[in-house]
């Protein structure tokens, strides 16, 4: 008996990672965080996979190269995994543009799979809810794949089944501009389709049939409403914040959050500063930033020295035209409000890491236990927190899998 107690105690000590060392995180919060399957629905890190000299196995510093996710920091922050994103910027919608998007999507997909293959001891592709639990229990990182902006499918929507076969499990319709499948929430030209296009509606049916989670982040309110109505399975918002806390077209109102929850869906709260607080657009700052990104070119091709030079130049612009910076307090305001509206069974985390997310005191994934600390302080239970960090997302994926099974039996 004594031996068992000793062994259990030793196991507890051994499994107690560096979490407790995180400043501002209590032992209790570290324990609750460690007990949860911690997933994030929007990891834009694949944009870094081809950076010269960059490896996901190395520890990076956010102040050093601006990256926010790598294996050492995932371990430190207790992040078990999430969705690696195939992000495609919306280009021209002509034949050449559609082909460029198609090629970009397929290349990004293979880059993600290449990263998984090269690091098979640390990462594993997940395609089901059961996979996620098994992979996390084995100590590897749970690696789902999602698509942000369906434009790679514009020239050939039947490619969706190819993506599915290669591991894709979540599909976001648009990015910041309208595309062939539907309207974006932020296209300066306004709505083009009044929601989903006919092609977009067909894509929704195909996603249900295959078993892909539909993601309404970035899409217009009309697209959100139509996805909710048309989809035979619950949908998600993979990285979206609250209109009540900060009115922005990219955020969502309380009535829609309630309807999402009623249909079994989940909103994953975004940590993108510009959607959390009002950051004034100073024209001189904007043009200085634009000139800067032109000077340094493609972000994902910059090496460490170029990043350092860029950051030095950017600091000068920040000094000349200062703007407010969102903080962990702002993030928690949005998260706690959304929790009140939706209930803890319908909320998750999608912080837009390596895609513009992250705020002061929540700069990279190593700081994730701070969210758990704040949730406990706000009165949420251990079970609530486990649901928020991953349980809710896996429930949606399970429902999507069940719908696909039913749909395939119909044929
Ligand atoms: Zn995004």
């Amino acid at each position: 008996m004594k031996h068992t107690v000793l062994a259990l105690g030793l196991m507890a000590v051994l499994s107690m990672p560096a979490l407790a060392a995180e400043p501002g995180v209590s032992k209790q919060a570290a324990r609750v965080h460690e007990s949860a399957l911690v997933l994030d629905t929007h990891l834009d890190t694949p944009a870094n996979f081809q950076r010269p000299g960059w490896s996901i196995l190395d520890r990076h510093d956010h102040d050093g190269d601006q990256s926010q996710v790598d294996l050492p920091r995932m371990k430190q922050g207790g992040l078990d995994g999430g969705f690696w994103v195939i992000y495609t910027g919306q280009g021209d919608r002509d034949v050449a543009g559609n082909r460029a998007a198609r090629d970009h999507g397929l290349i990004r997909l293979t880059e993600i799979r290449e990263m998984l293959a090269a690091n098979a001891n640390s990462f594993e592709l997940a395609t089901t809810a059961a996979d996620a639990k098994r992979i996390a229990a084995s100590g590897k990182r749970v690696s789902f794949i999602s698509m942000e902006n369906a434009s790679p499918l514009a020239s050939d929507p039947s490619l969706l089944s190819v993506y599915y076969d290669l591991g894709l499990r979540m599909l976001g319709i648009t990015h910041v501009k309208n595309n062939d499948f539907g309207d974006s929430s932020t296209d300066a030209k306004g709505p083009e389709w009044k929601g989903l296009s006919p092609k977009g509606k067909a894509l929704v049916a195909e996603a249900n049939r295959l078993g892909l989670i539909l993601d309404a982040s970035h899409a217009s309110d009309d697209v959100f409403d139509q996805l909710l109505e048309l989809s035979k399975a619950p949908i998600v918002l993979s990285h979206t914040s609250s209109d009540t806390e900060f009115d922005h077209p990219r955020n969502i109102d309380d009535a829609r959050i309630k309807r999402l929850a009623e249909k079994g869906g989940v909103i994953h709260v975004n940590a993108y500063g510009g959607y959390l607080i009002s950051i004034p657009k100073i024209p001189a700052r904007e043009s200085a930033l634009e000139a800067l990104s032109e000077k340094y070119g493609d972000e994902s091709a910059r090496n460490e020295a170029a990043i350092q030079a860029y950051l030095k130049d950017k600091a000068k612009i920040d000094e000349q035209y200062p703007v407010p910076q969102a903080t962990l307090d702002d993030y928690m305001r949005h998260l706690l409000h959304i929790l009140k509206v939706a209930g803890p069974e319908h909320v998750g985390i999608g912080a837009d890491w390596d895609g513009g997310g992250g705020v002061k005191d929540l700069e990279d994934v190593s700081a994730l236990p701070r969210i758990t600390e704040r949730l406990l302080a706000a009165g949420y239970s251990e079970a609530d927190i486990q649901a928020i960090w991953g349980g809710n997302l896996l429930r949606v994926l399970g429902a999507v899998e069940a719908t696909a099974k039913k749909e395939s039996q119909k044929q």
Side-chain angles (χ1 to χ4, degrees):
M1 191 66 183
K2 237 184 186 171
H3 284 292
T4 317
V5 172
L6 194 68
L8 284 175
L10 190 64
M11 271 163 63
V13 169
L14 287 175
S15 67
M16 186 71 84
L19 293 183
E22 181 69 25
V25 174
S26 66
K27 270 190 184 153
Q28 189 205 4
R31 184 189 60 73
V32 170
H33 193 78
E34 191 55 27
S35 78
L37 178 48
V38 176
L39 301 172
D40 183 291
T41 35
H42 201 79
L43 302 168
D44 270 315
T45 314
N48 291 336
F49 292 171
Q50 299 303 311
R51 266 197 199 184
W54 197 92
S55 163
I56 197 154
L57 299 184
D58 294 339
R59 192 192 166 93
H60 307 81
D61 180 16
H62 179 243
D63 293 334
D65 74 353
Q66 285 192 300
S67 74
Q68 297 171 304
V69 183
D70 51 43
L71 184 63
R73 283 182 291 176
M74 289 176 89
K75 286 183 176 170
Q76 188 189 342
L79 179 61
D80 293 301
F83 278 83
W84 301 113
V85 182
I86 300 168
Y87 158 69
T88 307
Q90 184 60 53
D92 292 339
R93 286 160 57 191
D94 53 15
V95 171
N98 286 343
R99 280 191 187 142
R102 176 201 61 194
D103 294 351
H104 172 85
L106 289 168
I107 288 167
R108 194 41 61 84
L109 171 70
T110 50
E111 285 169 357
I112 294 170
R113 294 194 51 117
E114 223 165 53
M115 185 285 277
L116 300 179
N119 302 296
N121 291 331
S122 307
F123 296 87
E124 187 175 334
L125 179 70
T127 58
T128 65
D131 274 354
K133 290 173 192 165
R134 176 184 55 77
I135 295 167
S138 78
K140 293 191 215 176
R141 302 297 122 176
V142 179
S143 301
F144 286 111
I145 302 175
S146 65
M147 184 182 278
E148 175 177 42
N149 190 3
S151 68
L153 307 168
S155 64
D156 179 4
S158 76
L159 279 177
L160 190 62
S161 66
V162 176
Y163 275 98
Y164 178 87
D165 289 343
L166 290 170
L168 191 75
R169 286 299 179 271
M170 187 187 287
L171 175 65
I173 308 294
T174 70
H175 190 236
V176 296
K177 287 184 185 168
N178 302 336
N179 65 18
D180 286 8
F181 299 102
D183 294 330
S184 168
S185 59
T186 48
D187 195 316
K189 292 193 192 108
E192 178 181 333
W193 304 102
K194 293 194 180 122
L196 291 162
S197 69
K199 214 165 141 180
K201 287 176 185 167
L203 199 67
V204 169
E206 180 67 351
N208 280 166
R209 187 187 71 80
L210 290 166
L212 288 141
I213 302 175
L214 287 156
D215 172 14
S217 283
H218 281 290
S220 72
D221 285 346
D222 284 340
V223 168
F224 174 90
D225 294 343
Q226 290 165 21
L227 283 177
L228 212 53
E229 191 192 315
L230 291 175
S231 176
K232 292 177 175 140
I235 68 166
V236 301
L237 290 154
S238 69
H239 59 307
T240 291
S241 306
S242 155
D243 256 344
T244 301
E245 291 302 320
F246 174 50
D247 195 4
H248 190 288
R250 194 44 193 85
N251 291 341
I252 192 151
D253 58 86
D254 291 353
R256 285 193 169 84
I257 293 174
K258 278 194 184 123
R259 293 210 326 264
L260 174 76
E262 276 161 19
K263 291 238 175 173
V266 180
I267 168 169
H268 298 83
V269 182
N270 197 349
Y272 189 101
Y275 305 147
L276 297 176
I277 60 167
S278 173
I279 300 176
K281 286 225 184 283
I282 305 165
R285 175 185 164 89
E286 295 303 311
S287 50
L289 287 173
E290 231 168 79
L292 193 67
S293 52
E294 246 168 63
K295 180 178 166 190
Y296 287 96
D298 181 9
E299 238 177 278
S300 57
R302 288 175 204 161
N303 62 17
E304 190 93 32
I307 292 165
Q308 286 304 324
Y310 165 86
L311 286 177
K312 242 189 209 163
D313 281 357
K314 169 139 191 307
K316 276 184 219 154
I317 296 173
D318 285 337
E319 206 177 302
Q320 202 176 355
Y321 312 105
V323 287
Q325 203 193 346
T327 66
L328 177 57
D329 289 343
D330 297 313
Y331 182 66
M332 290 310 299
R333 252 190 317 109
H334 282 258
L335 178 56
L336 293 175
H337 174 78
I338 289 169
L339 274 164
K340 252 186 215 144
V341 175
E345 297 91 55
H346 300 283
V347 180
I349 308 290
D352 215 349
W353 297 118
D354 290 322
V359 291
K360 193 172 176 300
D361 299 327
L362 188 71
E363 268 102 0
D364 62 26
V365 295
S366 69
L368 291 181
R370 291 179 188 168
I371 298 175
T372 296
E373 176 79 39
R374 299 284 191 107
L375 289 171
L376 280 172
Y380 287 96
S381 69
E382 184 164 350
D384 291 337
I385 291 168
Q386 288 168 346
I388 293 164
W389 274 121
N392 295 333
L393 172 66
L394 296 184
R395 182 193 69 232
V396 169
L397 182 56
V400 167
E401 289 164 12
T403 301
K405 221 178 199 176
K406 243 195 258 163
E407 291 298 294
S408 65
Q409 276 162 5
K410 269 191 208 165
Q411 285 161 359

